[in-house]
Amino acid sequence: MPQKPGRHFLQIPGPTPLPERIAQAISRSTIDHRGAEFAQLTLGIFERLRTVFGTTNPIAVYPSSASGAWEAALANTLSPGDRVLFCTSGQFAVQWSKVATRFGLQVEELVGDWRFRVDPDQVTAKLRADPAIKAVALVHNETSTGILSDIAAIRRAINRAEHSALLMVDAVSSLGAVDYRHDEWGVDVTVAGSQKGLMLPPGLGFNAISQRALSAAQEARLPRSYWDWAPLLDAAERGFFPYTPATNLLFGLDEALTMLLEEGLDQVFARHLRFAHATRSAVATWNLEVYCRDEEGHSPTLTSVLMPQGHDADQLRKLILERFDLSLGTGLGPLQGQLFRIGHLGSINDLMLCGTLSGVEMGLDLAGVPHKRGGVQAALNMLAVTSGHRKENTGD
Ligand SMILES: Cc1ncc(COP(=O)(O)O)c(C=O)c1O
């Protein structure tokens, strides 16, 4: 396919646009992963990575996609036949629960309304009814719907039930973009990936691990080798890996952490909230509907937009890609065709957001999708009154 002029707008909710600084870091010559320079690199990474996860506990870093890190979370902590409560409020939670089933775990589903956050009271009720459940698993920011659940409330729900279940959280599309507190929220395993808020290409998976999860790993009997935390964490203490790591992605991660901490995590979170807010004002002005119906649950990192009856989201996306070189996220699972997803996470700024929203508005026009013009202007107005990245000015 001939290259288009200008640059491509990658506004899917991950992978996110690759910043030049990270691209350059990754393109360095690979170094010996058993040498002193490598150990210095990784020890510096782990220290700052813990700040982003909000933990003082160990973090396993895998050369893998985030789906690998899902598998690692289960394989290290559970035994065949263990019961796991999956809060399935979106396609990614469903996918993760399928991994558990394939591993021979018994999945107990808490099927939520996909347009709302996971309901903590229902978690308490399920746990009270089933003292044998070994773990509760949910997705913090459901990338298929654009809804952010309240993890602290889920921890309180588990405590209310006086239940010993481990809490496992997928923070794949929130980490590095949304406030996240592994220790404070009492999360036992946090699963993450490199290609979203961390601004890297795909290829790294993460497990942040509580002391309770480490103890559970001593008893867990699911087979594990590549995913085994023990050799990984043992080598990591000295800055090494038990196998060949993704050295160049680690160069990128080092740079990404520098960028996040330079901007300041609070500013990063405020920037994402502000973009989400501006995007929702555009959607409201277009007279289109945001999929999320939970006022407290809007995702800071992506917005899912429902198509009017009789209009196909994927046809709109195709037209926008061909005409404006802008990639938007497709509807996943049962939502395919019904909605498109605007990613506003990672290394993006006001003009990138405005360019994206302009592409959507022009696409709606061209595709003949019924809407009211002026969404871009509404977003501009919102961005103008919430200028800068200061938290108190987010308007959220
Ligand atoms: C919330 C969530 N969990 C898990 C995944 C799976 O990640 P990967 O495709 O890197 O395996 C994704 C991917 O988009 C995601 O958004």
Side-chain angles (χ1 to χ4, degrees):
M1 230 190 263
Q3 181 110 36
K4 299 225 168 85
R7 75 155 180 78
H8 176 65
F9 274 70
L10 183 67
Q11 298 302 144
I12 57 176
T16 58
L18 183 63
E20 191 52 37
R21 278 173 70 172
I22 294 182
Q24 279 186 11
I26 288 172
S27 70
R28 274 186 57 193
S29 301
T30 307
I31 57 172
D32 174 11
H33 59 281
R34 304 200 193 278
E37 187 187 349
F38 182 83
Q40 205 182 1
L41 169 80
T42 51
L43 291 174
I45 286 176
F46 281 124
E47 200 45 49
R48 290 171 298 149
L49 198 54
R50 278 195 268 274
T51 305
V52 176
F53 277 88
T55 187
T56 55
N57 284 303
I59 300 175
V61 180
Y62 297 102
S64 77
S65 87
S67 302
W70 271 348
E71 201 162 309
L74 303 173
N76 278 284
T77 53
L78 298 165
S79 299
D82 276 353
R83 294 166 69 71
V84 183
L85 178 63
F86 270 91
C87 309
T88 48
S89 288
Q91 186 63 13
F92 285 104
V94 169
Q95 291 295 112
W96 192 9
S97 75
K98 286 185 181 161
V99 175
T101 303
R102 286 183 211 115
F103 263 71
L105 298 167
Q106 280 188 52
V107 169
E108 179 69 31
E109 262 194 276
L110 174 54
V111 184
D113 181 329
W114 282 25
R115 301 187 73 173
F116 289 84
R117 288 174 293 174
V118 174
D119 181 350
D121 291 339
Q122 288 187 12
V123 171
T124 304
K126 279 275 190 190
L127 291 177
R128 282 195 174 133
D130 192 344
I133 284 171
K134 287 287 192 313
V136 175
L138 80 157
V139 174
H140 184 209
N141 187 68
E142 204 11 288
T143 328
S144 62
T145 58
I147 294 175
L148 184 79
S149 282
D150 181 346
I151 302 302
I154 300 297
R155 167 42 75 195
R156 287 195 296 274
I158 298 172
N159 293 349
R160 257 200 313 280
E162 296 180 2
H163 203 289
S164 62
L166 295 171
L167 174 57
M168 302 203 189
V169 177
D170 169 327
V172 173
S173 61
S174 52
L175 190 91
V178 179
D179 192 9
Y180 191 81
R181 307 177 189 198
H182 176 89
D183 288 358
E184 191 183 315
W185 296 342
V187 181
D188 292 298
V189 188
T190 297
V191 173
S194 54
Q195 72 271 28
K196 313 246 182 195
L198 292 177
M199 306 174 287
L200 296 168
L204 293 178
F206 305 92
N207 278 176
I209 308 160
S210 74
Q211 293 303 318
R212 279 189 70 223
L214 282 176
S215 305
Q218 307 282 330
E219 314 292 323
R221 283 179 291 102
L222 278 179
R224 57 192 203 248
S225 168
Y226 180 77
W227 303 117
D228 195 348
W229 289 336
L232 199 66
L233 297 182
D234 180 51
E237 275 186 27
R238 283 164 278 115
F240 295 113
F241 281 73
Y243 39 64
T244 312
T247 309
N248 289 56
L249 286 178
L250 295 172
F251 290 148
L253 179 57
D254 187 44
E255 190 62 26
L257 293 167
T258 302
M259 289 171 67
L260 286 175
L261 299 177
E262 254 174 27
E263 184 177 351
L265 288 178
D266 282 348
Q267 268 78 4
V268 171
F269 304 152
R271 176 164 56 82
H272 284 86
L273 282 170
R274 185 167 162 268
F275 289 162
H277 217 258
T279 302
R280 289 202 299 281
S281 27
V283 177
T285 306
W286 291 327
N287 265 341
L288 295 180
E289 197 180 340
V290 170
Y291 185 72
C292 173
R293 294 178 62 183
D294 186 333
E295 257 324 298
E296 303 289 311
H298 288 293
S299 165
T301 62
L302 77 138
T303 302
S304 293
V305 184
L306 273 171
M307 294 294 282
Q309 281 289 333
H311 292 267
D312 183 84
D314 286 339
Q315 277 176 15
L316 174 71
R317 288 175 50 253
K318 183 167 179 287
L319 184 149
I320 290 175
L321 176 62
E322 285 168 3
R323 182 69 182 78
F324 304 114
D325 205 15
L326 162 63
S327 291
L328 298 165
T330 186
L332 295 171
L335 300 175
Q336 173 126 38
Q338 292 180 33
L339 58 77
F340 63 92
R341 296 171 302 144
I342 304 173
H344 32 77
L345 77 156
S347 179
I348 71 162
N349 60 29
D350 286 23
L351 294 188
M352 290 160 86
L353 182 73
C354 293
T356 302
L357 297 175
S358 301
V360 175
E361 187 160 324
M362 290 191 286
L364 291 169
D365 260 342
L366 278 177
V369 176
H371 71 289
K372 198 161 112 318
R373 285 191 186 155
V376 174
Q377 187 59 55
L380 291 177
N381 296 347
M382 174 68 69
L383 292 173
V385 295
T386 60
S387 64
H389 296 161
R390 299 187 62 77
K391 199 169 192 173
E392 60 268 33
N393 288 339
T394 58
D396 264 271

